[in-house]
Amino acid sequence: MELPNVDLNLLRTLDVLLQEASVTRASQRLQVSQPAVSLALAKLRRHFGDDLLRRAGNHYELTPLAVQLKERTSLAMLGARRVFEAAPAFDPTAERREFTLLCSDYAAAVLSEALQDLSFTRAPGVVLRFERHTTADIDHAVERIRTVDGIVLPHGFLSNLPYTELYTDDWVCLIATANTRVGDSLTMELLAELSWVFTYHGPTAFTPAGRQLQLLGVEPRVQVVIDSFLALPFAIAGTDRVGLVQRRLARKLTAAGDVRALECPFDAVAIAEALWWHPMYERDPAHIWLRALLTDAGSRLMTSGPATRST
């Protein structure tokens, strides 16, 4: 099928109809009359040879084909917006633009703090959206990265994509303040005896230090798996559990006093956080500015030095 035979003006209507599953709500969002949306729906039904919306009692529900189209349509709309957002130059002081970055809650917490004054003073109309990445996002990064402005990940997960270094960090062990089994230091024997809270515990989702621990011959007794670094204190406080967390984040997590950080009893490999993006953005002026902004934020983190080492 050639695109000239398709009314691309229907794409926006289709996107909203599939989101709302209602002609009335779709017309309100689109700010057009209900007859106009009904006419567009009739055209879409003829095109796809499917009802798309089917009455079920006093409401409408999506047909199986419509369910398939929902995500594809949203991605198509996003792609169309990105096409028309392209410009020969980018003026951050005047532009109104939203950038979406996939990252862990750890990276979002560390970077957003470093960006507090940078983004506002340089680009008052720019919005930075940090979204939590999933295992599927990383496993299918080449496809997923087309739909966002970048992924913040340490080295070791992605390859064959352009990237820029942001900052480095290392690991500490997090234990409950009330944990009487642990004194002022940890040993490898204790790490083997204690129960663990692991983050991203899977074949392709893991913390580098956790994987290193296994390579050193310690098989952690994993009791809780939680795909969040910020939630670690809640799974550790008041228990004998131990977890691994980045040093820069540990300072924030221990502030309430429910948990404390101790040095790892092994030479935990440091992580190097980087921003990865799709090659199609390589020379885009807006993305060049975004990469410079994040690189500057990373430099500020490095200039401020690593988190204070535990004692």
Side-chain angles (χ1 to χ4, degrees), residues 31 37 134 256 258 277:
Q31 297 183 336
V37 175
T134 65
D258 296 325
W277 63 90

Side-chain angles (χ1 to χ4, degrees), residues 90-99 115-129 285-294 296 300:
F90 181 75
D91 181 2
T93 63
E95 295 282 355
R96 300 189 65 83
R97 172 76 180 269
E98 180 174 287
F99 294 96
L115 286 165
Q116 279 181 353
D117 63 325
L118 289 178
S119 58
F120 182 77
T121 56
R122 295 184 183 180
V126 169
V127 175
L128 297 177
R129 178 185 294 274
H287 280 260
I288 292 173
W289 174 84
L290 174 66
R291 298 196 292 268
L293 178 71
L294 292 171
D296 198 345
R300 285 193 170 198

Side-chain angles (χ1 to χ4, degrees), residues 8-305:
L8 294 180
N9 292 319
L10 293 173
L11 183 61
R12 171 60 174 158
T13 303
L14 176 62
D15 184 40
V16 176
L17 275 170
L18 297 182
Q19 290 181 41
E20 298 293 343
S22 164
V23 170
T24 301
R25 292 194 298 271
S27 66
Q28 292 170 349
R29 277 188 56 181
L30 293 166
Q31 297 183 336
V32 299
S33 67
Q34 287 189 39
V37 175
S38 295
L39 178 61
L41 177 57
K43 292 180 180 179
L44 289 165
R45 282 170 166 167
R46 286 196 299 272
H47 173 80
F48 289 106
D50 187 87
D51 287 340
L52 299 178
L53 297 182
R54 185 175 295 154
R55 182 172 289 279
N58 61 353
H59 68 281
Y60 284 90
E61 61 183 21
L62 302 184
T63 66
L65 176 63
V67 172
Q68 295 180 46
L69 290 172
K70 186 176 181 180
E71 183 176 358
R72 297 181 190 178
T73 305
S74 295
L75 292 176
M77 282 297 300
L78 177 60
R81 282 195 296 270
R82 290 183 181 277
V83 168
F84 288 100
E85 283 175 348
F90 181 75
D91 181 2
T93 63
E95 295 282 355
R96 300 189 65 83
R97 172 76 180 269
E98 180 174 287
F99 294 96
T100 300
L101 298 172
L102 298 181
C103 58
S104 66
D105 54 359
Y106 149 71
V110 171
L111 279 174
S112 59
E113 182 178 28
L115 286 165
Q116 279 181 353
D117 63 325
L118 289 178
S119 58
F120 182 77
T121 56
R122 295 184 183 180
V126 169
V127 175
L128 297 177
R129 178 185 294 274
F130 293 95
E131 293 186 359
R132 284 272 298 278
H133 58 53
T134 65
T135 302
D137 291 330
I138 300 171
D139 289 344
H140 306 284
V142 175
E143 294 82 11
R144 185 67 172 96
I145 208 168
R146 290 177 180 271
T147 66
V148 294
D149 296 292
I151 298 180
V152 178
L153 273 178
H155 287 278
F157 295 91
L158 302 181
S159 60
N160 301 321
L161 286 171
Y163 66 88
T164 186
E165 306 288 357
L166 296 181
Y167 63 91
T168 59
D169 206 346
D170 59 357
W171 299 90
V172 293
C173 291
L174 208 63
I175 62 168
T177 304
N179 188 339
T180 57
R181 295 184 61 184
V182 181
D184 294 331
S185 62
L186 283 162
T187 64
M188 296 297 284
E189 290 74 22
L190 267 175
L191 293 188
E193 294 172 9
L194 295 172
S195 57
W196 278 81
V197 180
F198 254 44
T199 50
Y200 303 100
H201 186 42
T204 59
F206 55 86
T207 56
R211 179 61 56 83
Q212 181 184 4
L213 192 61
Q214 293 173 299
L215 294 175
L216 290 173
V218 174
E219 287 296 335
R221 295 174 51 243
V222 180
Q223 191 173 68
V224 177
V225 177
I226 183 168
D227 289 353
S228 167
F229 292 104
L230 293 178
L232 272 176
F234 301 99
I236 293 175
T239 74
D240 287 343
R241 299 169 187 154
V242 59
L244 286 162
V245 71
Q246 302 87 344
R247 190 183 298 275
R248 294 183 189 279
L249 188 59
R251 290 181 299 181
K252 305 177 188 300
L253 300 185
T254 57
D258 296 325
V259 294
R260 58 191 176 114
L262 294 177
E263 295 298 326
C264 296
F266 61 100
D267 189 16
V269 61
I271 58 172
E273 287 280 1
L275 171 68
W276 310 74
W277 63 90
H278 195 278
M280 66 181 175
Y281 296 135
E282 186 70 23
R283 298 186 180 182
D284 180 77
H287 280 260
I288 292 173
W289 174 84
L290 174 66
R291 298 196 292 268
L293 178 71
L294 292 171
T295 301
D296 198 345
S299 296
R300 285 193 170 198
L301 288 171
M302 296 303 294
T303 301
S304 65

